[in-house]
Every structure is written in structure tokens, then in C-alpha cells.
Amino acid sequence: MGTAFCLWFLCFLDLVFIFSDTLAGAQPQVPAVYVFGDSLVDVGNNNHLKLSLAKADFPHNGVDYPGKKPTGRFSNGKNIADFLAEKVGLQTSPPYLASKSNKSGGFPITGVSFASGGAGIFNGTDERYRQSIPLTKQIEYHSIVYENLVQELGSGPALDHLSRSLFTVVIGSNDLLGYFKSGSDLPKKTPPQQYVDSMALTLKQGLKRMHDFGARKYVILGVGSIGCCPSQRNQNKSGECNEEANYWSSKYNDGLKLMLQALKSELKDMDYSYVDTYNVFDSFVQRPTTYGFTEVKAACCGLGNLRAEVPCIPVSSYCSNRSDHVFWDLYHPTEAAARFFINTVFNGSQQFAIPINVRQLIAA
């Protein structure tokens, strides 16, 4: 009875939030959303990278997306970036590489996505995918967008526009997955504490660089419980989570929170919402029925044990009950999980978002 009520109440809240956002839809809550990160928020940049092995521009990706065609999203449908855009009343920020190739010139004033599947905080993280856009390059691309805005609007209006926009950063999972990947030699070179400390420090430098190009309101996602994704579970005969990977994911998040506090003291005009991705997805895994999930271990799309031995490719099988699964493929959440995630953190308590949630960040 309790679980059923919780599920009903969550659905009721979804309707309330959707209704309120619809009422506000005529006037977007922010002027733009700029997205930096990896495959969790890639909306098609990697489609334009000829050598990249981290692509999702083929079936069965996109089976539930409008038009039922693959778009480059690592999902059966929409991803976190799509649902965040919906929440603030904007269209999803298009891929930078698609905008760059647009013959009409310029970039959409409502935001751009620089996110790239396989990207990491460290420049070398993407090497196993042959080609990706690391965070440093994503920020370099943003500097071009910044200059373009200054030319179009003038310096003052451009800075005002950017200061009210959201800068969403979803990165770090690939750095950790690479460290804990079976056969990785990284642990022999660098102790785990030193590695996660270096991740936080490197990200700090990137965020400061983004600040140089107008970023003031940051939505920073911590890494999830990566040890519980199907690829990591598949490394254990028991199918249980990789607790070492989870431990160091949590330790990285601890360092990330401290780094953001220190950065806020350095950059007085910045505000941020740190999103506790680990806690949110852990609640999906530990209490799945509360959110309507029945499968938390296996991927929906793939082949082999837990559908995690072969990625989601055209010859893979995929489940018919996508909304019951937390994971779409080896690493990525289903559209249902992404929707619940954004609904949870956008208006969330400090259990899921600190020091303020995303809605409060918009109003700051």
C-alpha cells in the first residue's frame, strides 16, 4: 500500500510540475542552456566525428524518441539534457558541431550543447573511443560561441544574457570507468585518491575558464553509482555492484563538493546547484518500485549476461518494457530514468541538490 501510494504521489507531482511548467512555457525561465559533458547529455555531437567509436546514431537507440529514429542520444528516447530544457521552457540546445556546419552562420541564442560521448575531465580519457570532444575542447568551442554573442549583441548585453543562462556540466563518469575498467593500467600509475583529487582540481580549472566566458550559474552533476551500471555488474560473477568503483565515485563527489565551495569563495558572482546523481540513482536501484522500475541490474538493449556483454547495436535485442528498466544499455539510463532524475533534482530538497536546487538557482 505504501509503495503504491508513493508511486501515485510521484506521478501526481509530475503532473503538477508539468502543468506549472506549461503555464510558464510562454516565457522561458532562462535565456539559454549551455551543456558540457559526456554521453549522458550528448544530443548528437558525435554524429559529426568520423572516427569516433562512441556513437548512437543507429538502432535501437531512439526507438521511443519522436520519429522513432536514432539521433545520437545514448537512450531509447530523450536524455537528461532534453528534460532539463523542457523544465525551463526551451528547446533542447542543439549540438555545437551541427550549428557550426549550419550555412546560415551563427549559433542559437537559446544555447548550444558541446557534450560528447566518451568525453572526460582529462584529455586522455576519450582515447579508448578514438575520437571525442574532451572538456578542454568543449570550453574552447564555447569561447567561440561567446565571441559570436559579443559580436551580435555587444559586450554588455552578451554578458547579461550569459549571466542569466544555465551552464550544465555532466562529466567524470568516463574518467572513473576508465580507471576501473577490467585490465586498466591506471591503478598501477596513480593511487585512486590522487586520481579523484586530480579530477576535481582539473574540473575546477575548467569551470574557472568557463567563468571567463560568461558562465555564472552552474548546474553541476556529480557522478552516479557507476559500479552498479550493467557493464560493471557484468565484471562480477554475482552480478552485484562493483563496490570499489562506487566507493571512489563517492569519494570523488566529496571532493567535488568541497571544490565547488572553494570556487564559490573565489568567484563571488557565481552560483551553483550541485546535483547528487549518486544518491538519486542509488535510490532507483535500492527502491525501484517506488519509481515504477522492476529491472535495475540488466540493460534493456544489448546481448549476453545482463545484456552487458555486447553494446546496444542493431543486432542486439531490446526489451519491450523500457519504462520498467533503469538502464537502457551498458552505461546509460532509460528515458524513464532520465525523466525521474530531472523531476527529482529540479525542485529537490538538499538530499538531492545543494546548496540550492535548480529552480532556486534560476531565481538566484
Side-chain angles (χ1 to χ4, degrees):
M1 182 67 176
T3 298
F5 176 78
C6 286
L7 182 55
W8 173 87
F9 186 64
L10 281 167
C11 291
F12 173 73
L13 285 179
D14 283 352
L15 289 173
V16 171
F17 294 149
I18 290 169
F19 181 66
S20 62
D21 289 339
T22 300
L23 289 177
Q27 182 64 46
Q29 298 177 43
V30 294
V33 177
Y34 296 91
V35 183
F36 302 76
D38 53 32
S39 55
L40 291 169
V41 283
D42 187 351
V43 292
N45 271 309
N46 279 20
N47 295 354
H48 302 270
L49 300 178
K50 293 182 180 179
L51 301 179
S52 179
L53 300 178
K55 289 191 175 186
D57 57 347
F58 48 78
H60 303 285
N61 298 296
V63 65
D64 297 310
Y65 192 81
K68 300 188 180 300
K69 293 182 179 180
T71 61
R73 290 164 172 80
F74 294 77
S75 171
N76 59 301
K78 296 178 180 180
N79 65 20
I80 290 170
D82 294 304
F83 289 118
L84 178 59
E86 286 183 10
K87 280 289 185 185
V88 301
L90 292 174
Q91 295 293 315
T92 300
S93 301
Y96 170 83
L97 293 181
S99 299
K100 183 182 178 184
S101 62
N102 189 334
K103 293 181 180 180
S104 63
F107 300 96
I109 198 163
T110 53
V112 181
S113 172
F114 309 96
S116 171
I121 295 171
F122 297 133
N123 284 340
T125 291
D126 61 324
E127 288 178 356
R128 63 192 176 115
Y129 298 107
R130 192 174 294 175
Q131 189 181 25
S132 184
I133 311 171
L135 183 60
T136 51
K137 190 69 174 178
Q138 293 182 33
I139 297 170
E140 182 182 322
Y141 285 158
H142 174 60
S143 72
I144 296 171
V145 174
Y146 169 82
E147 294 295 341
N148 188 268
L149 274 172
V150 170
Q151 289 177 11
E152 287 188 12
L153 305 178
S155 180
L159 287 172
D160 177 68
H161 171 86
L162 292 166
S163 71
R164 293 181 289 112
S165 300
L166 290 184
F167 286 75
T168 305
V169 182
V170 184
I171 203 159
S173 296
N174 286 320
D175 302 280
L176 287 165
L177 284 167
Y179 190 92
F180 290 103
K181 182 179 172 62
S182 180
S184 171
D185 61 351
L186 282 172
K188 297 177 183 178
K189 298 177 180 178
T190 310
Q193 186 64 62
Q194 181 181 335
Y195 188 81
V196 297
D197 288 347
S198 183
M199 283 176 62
L201 179 60
T202 305
L203 179 58
K204 181 181 181 180
Q205 295 166 349
L207 297 179
K208 292 176 76 171
R209 187 68 174 149
M210 289 165 60
H211 183 270
D212 292 340
F213 299 115
R216 296 296 182 269
K217 294 185 177 185
Y218 298 85
V219 179
I220 310 291
L221 271 64
V223 299
S225 48
I226 64 168
C228 292
C229 68
S231 71
Q232 289 289 308
R233 286 183 184 271
N234 187 49
Q235 293 182 25
N236 291 335
K237 292 181 179 179
S238 64
E240 295 304 307
C241 300
N242 181 335
E243 293 303 335
E244 184 182 17
N246 279 351
Y247 175 82
W248 288 107
S249 296
S250 183
K251 293 294 285 185
Y252 165 70
N253 288 335
D254 289 343
L256 174 57
K257 286 182 279 189
L258 290 174
M259 179 274 280
L260 289 170
Q261 291 174 11
L263 185 60
K264 169 65 177 171
S265 67
E266 290 181 35
L267 306 176
K268 304 296 185 184
D269 58 352
M270 78 164 275
D271 290 293
Y272 71 90
S273 177
Y274 166 81
V275 175
D276 193 344
T277 310
Y278 189 107
N279 197 4
V280 178
F281 274 91
D282 191 56
S283 68
F284 292 171
V285 171
Q286 300 301 325
R287 300 184 298 279
T289 55
T290 301
Y291 303 91
F293 298 122
T294 58
E295 179 55 70
V296 302
K297 293 184 177 182
C300 175
C301 183
L303 290 172
N305 182 49
L306 301 178
R307 285 202 177 104
E309 292 180 1
V310 175
C312 184
I313 55 178
V315 298
S316 300
S317 62
Y318 67 95
C319 64
S320 59
N321 53 335
R322 270 91 67 185
S323 62
D324 291 351
H325 284 60
V326 172
F327 290 99
W328 165 242
D329 60 14
L330 285 79
Y331 306 108
H332 307 98
T334 56
E335 178 183 75
R339 180 188 292 109
F340 269 120
F341 176 80
I342 289 297
N343 283 343
T344 301
V345 304
F346 193 83
N347 303 279
S349 67
Q350 290 202 337
Q351 178 186 2
F352 298 120
I354 58 171
I356 54 179
N357 62 35
V358 181
R359 189 179 291 280
Q360 291 166 333
L361 176 67
I362 291 169

